[in-house]
């Protein structure tokens, strides 16, 4: 189905002639309008006029016809369905998603053996240099322990295997891959990374954070054609889920070049706000070239993604105090504080926003300290800097987000995915500042919501559901996990639309259905404001429009993921 969708999407986006004036009517529409944050207003409407790809008016059919005395080229009856602004995922990984859709996916594996079998089945009839996959999570296995190279060796004795953990902060290699990477018992773990070893000192095959590069440097190179295929695969998937914009969290020079080619060719059915990767060797040159904004806002580049620490699941998140379930470690700093300072001094004077990954409370404190120091020395407060994830924050540091005008870029499904291990890692006391969405919103900090795909599934309504219920899609736990931090439905919708647009400096062009903005909207089979909260994740996208152009329409044989 994906291949068919790709062909259909390409044809639609390149060949459709946009009508000058289109009136959409007979629907229930919702949008957050006005100023981002708590002052935004929820508006309901039943008709939408689009002229040359932009919203001209909303309201009733009668009011629109009075406002715009212009001949309408086409009227579209939406048959009583629900219309929302296009969803903006404020933190995703486009190349990673495309690759994940093209490689072995072990997300649903229930054990180490099950994960290995899935990889073996996926590559059984393929001849490839490396067997590559993603998605394993030992916390969801019958035995909650890191896997070993030996289990992979049983199926892949002579072929290298590399499987990235679901969070992207750990990798699992077989013996052949370790051999190609030159990893032995004598290999020293790099700064900001760890080679997991068994009791005899031998590498188990699991590498954490910066140690992953030892294997990844040996993987086949990704040329432009590979990157283009992966990005187009991601585009085709995302439009089926109502996503019209993505903040791509970490783009290197090669990826950026492909984006620019696709944008020039009019082949960007999803708007991309690309964050340059801080580890890109050409970063100084890219910054010197200045921000990029295409005339149609399909591609925007004016931010840099920096990593501070790893992830909680692999115990790479940097904590102030030791892990409650591993007293020997406080996690990893994948970028040392002195290097962070150098990066801040490089990026801010060029007028680029800094989006800094920080999951643990120590990492968040370091990030906030760096912002505070930079404001005093080189300025940059006006650039709308962000902390990506802000997952575990010391309660004393939460008010600093507001004081420093820092946006909290958070992913609701992280909470429902992590609930089976977060308290083990942190203990109950530190949970006071963990996944604290409502605490941030109450102090009027802008929260931009996303999924962190492919770490989590990209479906934004899974995120809306998690934000409102603090439950997984099986409605567990009863009453919600730390339910006092849940969002209202209005807040959740705002964080995925208007406030996400604010986080990229695009709230004047995107994020709501208001006159003058691009006509990015979606049509749903259910009204989220009229169903019980446990059904929010079941919303089915019937059509997706970008700049008034339909880039996706559900076919009758498609089913809910």
């Amino acid at each position: 189905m994906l291949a068919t969708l790709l062909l259909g999407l390409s044809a639609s986006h390149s060949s459709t002639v946009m009508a000058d004036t289109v009136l959409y009517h007979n629907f229930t529409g919702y949008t957050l309008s006005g100023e981002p944050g708590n002052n935004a207003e929820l508006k309901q409407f039943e008709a939408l006029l689009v002229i040359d790809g932009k919203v001209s008016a909303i309201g009733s059919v009668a009011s629109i016809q009075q406002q715009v005395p212009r001949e309408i080229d086409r009227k579209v009856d939406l048959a009583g369905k629900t219309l929302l602004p296009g969803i903006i995922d404020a933190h995703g990984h486009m190349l990673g998603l495309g690759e994940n859709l093209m490689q072995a996916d072990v997300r649903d594996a229930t054990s180490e053996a099950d994960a290995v079998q899935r990889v073996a089945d996926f590559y059984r009839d393929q001849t490839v240099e490396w067997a590559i996959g993603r998605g394993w999570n030992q916390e969801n296995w019958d035995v909650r322990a890191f896997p070993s190279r030996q289990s992979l060796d049983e199926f892949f004795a002579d072929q290298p295997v590399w499987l990235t953990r679901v969070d992207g902060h750990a990798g699992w290699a077989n013996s052949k891959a370790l051999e190609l990477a030159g990893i032995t018992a004598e290999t020293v773990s790099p700064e900001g990374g760890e080679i997991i070893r068994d009791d005899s000192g031998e590498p188990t095959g699991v590498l954490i954070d910066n140690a992953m590069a030892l294997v990844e440097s040996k993987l086949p190179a990704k040329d432009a054609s590979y990157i283009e295929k992966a990005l187009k695969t991601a585009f085709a998937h995302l439009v089926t889920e109502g996503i019209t914009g993505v903040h791509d969290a970490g783009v290197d020079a090669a990826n950026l070049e492909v984006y620019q080619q696709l944008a020039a060719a009019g082949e960007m059915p999803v708007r991309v706000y690309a964050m340059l990767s801080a580890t890109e060797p050409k970063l100084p040159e890219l910054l010197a070239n200045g921000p990029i904004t295409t005339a149609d806002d399909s591609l925007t580049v004016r931010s840099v993604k920096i990593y501070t620490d790893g992830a909680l699941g692999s115990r790479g998140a940097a904590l102030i105090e030791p892990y409650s379930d591993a007293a020997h470690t406080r996690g990893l700093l994948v970028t040392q504080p002195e290097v962070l300072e150098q990066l801040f001094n490089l990026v801010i004077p060029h007028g680029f926003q800094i989006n800094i990954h920080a999951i643990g409370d120590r990492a968040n404190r370091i990030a906030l300290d760096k912002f505070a120091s930079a404001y005093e020395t080189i300025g940059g407060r006006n650039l709308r800097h962000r902390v990506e994830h802000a997952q575990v924050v010391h309660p004393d540091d939460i008010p600093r987000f507001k004081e420093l005008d820092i946006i909290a870029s958070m992913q609701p499904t992280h909470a429902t995915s992590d609930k089976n291990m977060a308290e083990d890692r942190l203990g109950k006391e530190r949970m006071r500042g963990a996944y604290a969405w409502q605490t941030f919103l109450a102090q009027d900090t802008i929260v931009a919501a996303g999924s962190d795909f492919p770490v989590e599934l990209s479906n934004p309504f899974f995120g809306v559901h998690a934000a409102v219920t603090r439950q997984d899609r099986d409605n567990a736990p009863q009453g919600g996990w730390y339910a006092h931090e849940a969002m209202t439905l209005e807040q959740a919708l705002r964080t995925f639309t208007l406030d996400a647009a604010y986080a990229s400096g695009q709230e004047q062009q995107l994020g709501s259905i208001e006159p003058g903005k691009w006509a990015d909207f979606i049509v749903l089979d259910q009204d989220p404001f009229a169903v019980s909260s446990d059904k929010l994740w079941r919303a089915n996208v019937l059509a997706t429009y970008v700049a008034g152009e339909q880039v996706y329409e559900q076919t009758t044989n498609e089913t809910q993921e």
Side-chain angles (χ1 to χ4, degrees), residues 12 67 71 132 136 175 205 397 432 445 458 472 500 511 514 519 534:
S12 168
Q67 292 176 56
E71 185 176 343
I132 301 174
W136 62 272
S175 295
D397 289 327
R432 291 193 301 127
T445 290
S458 54
D472 60 28
E514 297 181 87
D534 64 311

Side-chain angles (χ1 to χ4, degrees), residues 459-483:
N459 189 320
F461 294 100
F462 293 178
V464 171
H465 170 265
V468 173
T469 67
R470 302 281 291 202
Q471 294 176 317
D472 60 28
R473 295 188 299 281
D474 292 324
N475 301 317
Q478 185 175 3
W481 187 66
Y482 291 91

Side-chain angles (χ1 to χ4, degrees), residues 13-298:
H13 199 67
S14 62
S15 63
T16 298
V17 177
M18 190 187 308
D20 287 336
T21 306
V22 184
L23 178 67
Y24 298 88
H25 64 102
N26 188 18
F27 61 79
T28 300
Y30 299 95
T31 188
L32 274 301
S33 67
E35 292 297 316
N38 291 338
N39 291 325
E41 179 186 358
L42 181 67
K43 287 187 176 180
Q44 189 171 342
F45 56 102
E46 59 188 39
L48 162 66
L49 186 68
V50 177
I51 300 179
D52 293 335
K54 291 192 174 182
V55 176
S56 176
I58 66 172
S60 66
V61 171
S63 68
I64 287 176
Q65 290 175 333
Q66 287 178 350
Q67 292 176 56
V68 186
R70 172 174 175 162
E71 185 176 343
I72 294 172
D73 299 315
R74 184 161 54 96
K75 293 183 179 181
V76 179
D77 187 332
L78 293 181
K81 304 303 183 185
T82 298
L83 187 147
L84 296 178
I87 300 296
I88 300 173
D89 189 310
H91 187 111
H93 302 275
M94 294 289 285
L95 183 60
L97 174 61
E99 290 180 305
N100 197 60
L101 293 167
M102 298 189 299
Q103 298 168 351
D105 186 350
V106 297
R107 180 187 301 271
D108 295 328
T110 57
S111 66
E112 178 176 351
D114 184 27
V116 173
Q117 186 64 59
R118 288 170 186 252
V119 178
D121 291 343
F122 185 85
Y123 285 104
R124 178 168 288 118
D125 299 320
Q126 300 186 50
T127 301
V128 293
E129 184 179 352
W130 281 70
I132 301 174
R134 179 166 181 155
W136 62 272
N137 183 357
Q138 80 282 1
E139 296 297 330
N140 292 336
W141 293 349
D142 49 9
V143 176
R144 293 168 64 180
F146 277 143
S148 69
R149 56 185 167 85
Q150 288 88 350
S151 59
L152 288 171
D153 293 345
E154 293 180 20
F155 288 87
F156 301 92
D158 301 314
Q159 182 183 21
V161 182
W162 180 242
L163 306 176
T164 307
R165 193 178 185 276
V166 66
D167 57 16
H169 288 270
W172 172 18
N174 68 341
S175 295
K176 185 65 176 179
L178 294 178
E179 176 189 333
L180 292 174
I183 298 173
T184 68
E186 286 71 44
T187 305
V188 177
S189 294
E191 186 175 57
E194 183 179 1
I195 300 170
I196 302 296
R197 307 173 193 275
D198 60 23
D199 293 340
S200 62
E202 293 291 330
T204 65
V206 174
L207 309 176
I208 309 295
D209 285 311
N210 287 354
M212 297 168 67
L214 300 173
V215 168
E216 291 177 336
S217 64
K218 305 300 180 183
L219 296 176
K222 301 173 183 177
D223 61 16
S225 62
Y226 174 89
I227 295 172
E228 180 178 342
K229 180 181 178 183
L231 293 179
K232 286 185 173 180
T233 301
F235 288 150
H237 178 77
L238 293 173
V239 295
T240 70
E241 297 180 330
I243 294 174
T244 60
V246 170
H247 300 176
D248 195 347
V251 173
D252 64 17
N255 196 342
L256 177 60
E257 185 174 355
V258 174
Y259 269 141
Q260 290 178 287
Q261 293 169 353
L262 291 173
E267 297 180 354
M268 297 270 289
V270 174
R271 302 185 191 279
V272 173
Y273 181 74
M275 310 178 197
L276 299 175
S277 175
T279 58
E280 167 55 53
K282 296 181 180 179
L283 180 62
E285 176 185 334
L286 295 174
L287 292 172
N289 290 337
I292 297 170
T293 303
T294 60
D296 61 355
D297 291 313
S298 63

Side-chain angles (χ1 to χ4, degrees), residues 453-532:
F453 63 74
V455 175
E456 303 283 352
L457 294 172
S458 54
N459 189 320
F461 294 100
F462 293 178
V464 171
H465 170 265
V468 173
T469 67
R470 302 281 291 202
Q471 294 176 317
D472 60 28
R473 295 188 299 281
D474 292 324
N475 301 317
Q478 185 175 3
W481 187 66
Y482 291 91
H484 64 283
E485 291 290 0
M487 300 185 201
T488 66
L489 177 55
E490 182 176 323
Q491 288 172 332
L493 180 61
R494 192 182 78 214
T495 62
F496 274 103
T497 55
L498 184 60
D499 287 2
Y502 176 89
S504 60
Q506 296 174 298
E507 75 277 10
Q508 299 302 318
Q509 296 82 32
L510 310 173
S512 61
I513 303 174
E514 297 181 87
K517 295 189 179 185
W518 289 109
D520 297 352
F521 60 94
I522 60 177
V523 181
L524 303 181
D525 67 339
Q526 71 175 32
D527 182 342
F529 288 92
V531 301
S532 59

